[in-house]
Amino acid sequence: RPPRPAPPRCSSLPSPSPPSSSSLLSPKMGKVHGSLARAGKVRGQTPKVSKQEKSKKVVVGRAKKRLQYNRRFVNVAVGLGKKKGPNTQPLGKAG
């Protein structure tokens, strides 16, 4: 395929001139909201709070299924009477 010829130039259109310094600060450019002197004001005002101790990690996925299986079927103590539910508390902690 032969290369395309360049489109003909129209002499009636003005030629583009390089941007001047006054056109660089045109109103088309966006404004910054607030001055940079106030940057970080809210974070600086808030009091420092130390991090809390993390609680025990929650078991998820395969490990959770393994824990459920062991709790329900492996470590079952066969006793007299009705089977207690999984959320029953020991006698001392009730109330």
Side-chain angles (χ1 to χ4, degrees):
R1 224 181 197 174
R4 258 190 191 165
R9 291 202 164 233
C10 185
S11 61
S12 64
L13 292 176
S15 63
S17 61
S20 63
S21 62
S22 63
S23 68
L24 289 176
L25 302 173
S26 67
K28 293 178 186 176
M29 295 180 67
K31 303 282 187 193
V32 176
H33 294 284
S35 66
L36 294 178
R38 290 194 293 263
K41 172 185 170 236
V42 174
R43 185 174 180 186
Q45 284 179 342
T46 54
K48 176 70 177 162
V49 179
S50 58
K51 290 192 175 184
Q52 295 178 344
E53 291 184 28
K54 291 187 177 180
S55 60
K56 189 178 176 189
K57 205 166 139 186
V58 179
V59 182
V60 292
R62 175 200 54 79
K64 184 175 181 180
K65 291 291 181 187
R66 179 177 177 231
L67 196 87
Q68 282 179 347
Y69 172 77
N70 287 335
R71 194 179 287 154
R72 292 177 187 172
F73 302 110
V74 177
N75 295 330
V76 177
V78 179
L80 298 173
K82 192 175 172 183
K83 179 182 178 280
K84 294 194 176 184
N87 200 28
T88 53
Q89 300 294 316
L91 288 173
K93 292 193 177 180

